[in-house]
Amino acid sequence: MILWLKALHIVAVMSWMAGLLYLPRLFVYHAEAGPKSPQSATFTVMQDRLLRYIMRPAMIVVWISGPLLGWQMGYFKDGWFWGKMVAVVALTGAHGAMMGWHRALADGTSQRTSKFFRVANEVPTVLMLVIVVLVVVKPF
């Protein structure tokens, strides 16, 4: 059963990360399109569907399967696991920030530039690298 749980966790992580990496790119295009444009409406729908149907369910599965795996595998005593959990909390914070940016872009009230979103796009990438190193190398 543990292998099925690992597989589920990996698929959920991949789905969530795909959204965390793609959504800021949509924000770049949305910010460049400007509020109230036809493109803005299209980007709003795309972002909403990505958040609602892919990212949020994937994040929930990650948060259920990850700690369950950690408990089943006896990782709660390992430092690398807690480092990973801190990085996952940060990813969750990035997800929350993206939800706020989506609302502001959809409402036409965003003050963020496309350059801001290009930089914000790197945050999930850095956190993903940290998590992968912690899980694979287990440095502490």
Side-chain angles (χ1 to χ4, degrees):
M1 191 65 181
I2 197 92
L3 294 178
W4 285 103
L5 188 57
K6 278 184 183 181
L8 176 66
H9 185 69
I10 291 168
V11 169
V13 167
M14 289 171 48
S15 299
W16 189 29
M17 284 307 306
L20 287 167
L21 296 171
Y22 182 50
L23 189 59
R25 177 52 44 188
L26 289 176
F27 292 159
V28 168
Y29 301 141
H30 196 159
E32 290 174 349
K36 309 293 183 200
S37 68
Q39 296 87 0
S40 177
T42 300
F43 288 126
T44 296
V45 170
M46 292 171 67
Q47 293 159 13
D48 190 60
R49 289 181 180 165
L50 181 59
L51 277 161
R52 184 173 306 196
Y53 300 117
I54 296 172
M55 292 175 66
R56 188 176 301 140
M59 180 184 68
I60 291 167
V61 172
V62 165
W63 270 106
I64 293 169
S65 62
L68 187 56
L69 271 171
W71 175 69
Q72 293 268 330
M73 303 289 288
Y75 292 149
F76 275 50
K77 62 183 176 1
D78 297 340
W80 68 266
F81 179 79
W82 291 105
K84 174 191 173 187
M85 290 302 291
V86 167
V88 174
V89 167
L91 273 178
T92 304
H95 181 121
M98 288 180 198
M99 289 173 57
W101 299 334
H102 163 64
R103 279 191 292 276
L105 284 163
D107 295 343
T109 59
S110 177
Q111 301 298 312
R112 309 284 185 184
T113 65
S114 60
K115 183 177 180 178
F116 171 84
F117 293 122
R118 281 187 178 88
V119 173
N121 195 35
E122 302 309 317
V123 172
T125 303
V126 170
L127 291 168
M128 177 185 62
L129 290 171
V130 168
I131 291 168
V132 169
V133 167
L134 287 170
V135 171
V136 174
V137 179
K138 295 178 178 59
F140 51 90

